[in-house]
Amino acid sequence: MGYPDQRFDVNLSILFTELPLLERPAAAAAAGFTAVELWWPWIETPTPPQAELDALQKALDEAGTRLVGLNFYAGRLPGPDRGALSVPGEESDRFRANIEVAADFAASVGCTALNALYGNRVEGADPQVQDALALENLVLAARAADRIGAILLVEALNKPESPLYPLVGAPAAIEVVDKVNAATGLGNAKFLLDLYHLSMNGEDLSQVIKAYAARTGHVQIADNPGRGAPGTGSLPLERLLDELKDAGYTGRVGLEYKPGDRPSAEAFDWLPASARADR
């Protein structure tokens, strides 16, 4: 058990960001990783030119890295936004324009997990209207994911850092997962269990794992406090990942932490090099 028994991937939207996007897959490979994930890389547009999509595909291929997780368009992330699909008007339209683009790109690189961040509450908008819009868009996203043999992920964030985001606990995200699956009948909506966010909410992590491991499609980690690498805070991440495995979770663990003041390549000393390649 322990870290060497897990399947890890590196989030290239929070690690290796000192490098241009197209150089990050090779940097992750040089650090020993063969699986990576990304937030939507084109913050300004849900529909980038095909040449830019092709260039990213080539960078992944040449590095020998597989993209295993991709966010749909989520607005300005990092930044003030926390998704677009529940935001009425232009942002919802942008999310819808992105659905097939993201799904097609995921299919082209063999990515089978697509994360749809819910979006913030908007001042003056009826929360029930936002939730109805969110369900409509999540249903569209789930169907697009199903078309390429992928799962749709719904993520809970944390209230201190995302006070306007309504899914700030595991039960809230699970409720949305269940609604999407009921609406589509596909069963491909899953929970994205981020141990950092849930710990920031003060949730009982062991209890969350016991309750929801079977409905979890992806796991992400960072230590708390600080959102740094494992060992920089006080979360018992190794034990918690063992609990997930014992509860039946067999998926990957995304490394979504800040490298601190050092280069990203030096932020993996907690993980033996032999345990970094995907298995």
Side-chain angles (χ1 to χ4, degrees):
M1 303 296 278
Y3 290 136
D5 200 39
Q6 305 293 336
R7 301 169 63 204
F8 291 103
D9 70 83
V10 177
N11 189 306
L12 298 182
S13 296
I14 194 169
L15 286 152
F16 298 107
T17 57
E18 64 269 27
L19 299 172
L21 174 65
L22 297 182
E23 295 179 20
R24 295 177 205 170
F33 294 95
T34 55
V36 298
E37 61 182 65
L38 278 167
W39 303 340
W40 184 248
W42 297 276
I43 296 171
E44 299 302 325
T45 177
T47 54
Q50 187 62 44
E52 294 187 24
L53 295 160
D54 292 343
L56 179 54
Q57 180 182 0
K58 182 182 179 187
L60 292 163
D61 289 345
E62 290 183 345
T65 51
R66 180 181 167 200
L67 188 68
V68 298
L70 176 67
N71 282 18
F72 286 105
Y73 170 80
R76 290 163 293 171
L77 187 75
D81 298 335
R82 296 292 186 272
L85 62 91
S86 68
V87 180
E90 183 178 342
E91 280 298 87
S92 171
D93 292 343
R94 287 160 74 87
F95 177 82
R96 290 193 185 195
N98 175 247
I99 290 174
E100 298 301 333
V101 175
D104 286 344
F105 179 74
S108 75
V109 295
C111 175
T112 56
L114 290 159
N115 183 27
L117 282 170
Y118 200 84
N120 287 330
R121 290 298 190 214
V122 177
E123 186 176 354
D126 184 337
Q128 290 184 318
V129 171
Q130 281 197 260
D131 290 341
L133 177 64
L135 183 57
E136 287 179 22
N137 283 334
L138 285 165
V139 164
L140 294 172
R143 289 177 177 150
D146 181 68
R147 173 175 65 79
I148 65 162
I151 60 172
L152 175 75
L153 296 169
V154 177
E155 183 174 8
L157 302 182
N158 74 78
K159 194 169 185 65
E161 293 175 323
S162 303
L164 299 178
Y165 190 83
L167 309 185
V168 290
I174 288 289
E175 182 180 353
V176 172
V177 166
D178 290 346
K179 285 180 178 178
V180 174
N181 285 332
T184 65
L186 297 171
N188 70 328
K190 303 284 185 180
F191 178 40
L192 197 167
L193 193 161
D194 186 310
L195 289 167
Y196 167 74
H197 286 307
L198 301 183
S199 70
M200 284 284 288
N201 288 329
E203 295 176 70
D204 183 329
L205 300 179
S206 293
Q207 190 56 44
V208 168
I209 288 167
K210 287 178 186 175
Y212 303 127
R215 284 186 274 180
T216 295
H218 188 54
V219 171
Q220 291 174 333
I221 63 169
D223 215 330
N224 187 20
R227 200 174 184 175
T232 59
S234 58
L235 280 184
L237 288 168
E238 195 161 19
R239 174 176 64 77
L240 291 166
L241 293 179
D242 283 345
E243 289 178 15
L244 267 159
K245 207 168 185 70
D246 289 343
Y249 178 72
T250 58
R252 295 179 179 85
V253 177
L255 305 181
E256 196 185 54
Y257 59 78
K258 298 175 182 178
D261 296 330
R262 51 187 173 165
S264 295
E266 298 175 11
F268 305 107
D269 50 7
W270 58 276
L271 182 63
S274 60
R276 297 177 189 178
D278 193 32
R279 300 184 298 282

